[in-house]
Amino acid sequence: MKVRTALQDAGVDHSEPTPSFVPSMTVELDADGASKIFRLIEALEDSDVQNVYANFDVSDEVMEQVG
């Protein structure tokens, strides 16, 4: 809260007061892995999970394969 107040006092515009979680390392997924992780995320969302954080990376080519 102190940081947010200091930013506001300094005139720095911020769009969201909550922190973002950005992975320092990512894991490249193939089509099979991407398909599995997307099904898992969908199941978590259907279970009313509020936030899902992940460190995977899916190339454009794999996204085309997965659909």
Side-chain angles (χ1 to χ4, degrees):
M1 208 56 183
K2 288 181 182 182
V3 172
R4 180 178 178 196
T5 303
L7 288 172
Q8 288 174 338
D9 292 344
V12 176
D13 185 31
H14 58 86
S15 60
E16 193 173 316
T18 58
S20 296
F21 297 100
V22 180
S24 60
M25 294 176 47
T26 59
V27 177
E28 185 75 29
L29 296 179
D30 59 7
D32 183 52
S35 178
K36 289 177 183 177
I37 197 73
F38 292 145
R39 283 196 315 263
L40 172 63
I41 291 171
E42 186 174 319
L44 290 171
E45 289 174 347
D46 290 344
S47 299
D48 294 329
V49 172
Q50 291 181 355
N51 297 310
V52 176
Y53 302 98
N55 68 334
F56 65 86
D57 188 26
V58 179
S59 68
D60 292 337
E61 294 82 21
V62 172
M63 284 298 290
E64 289 178 12
Q65 292 175 7
V66 173

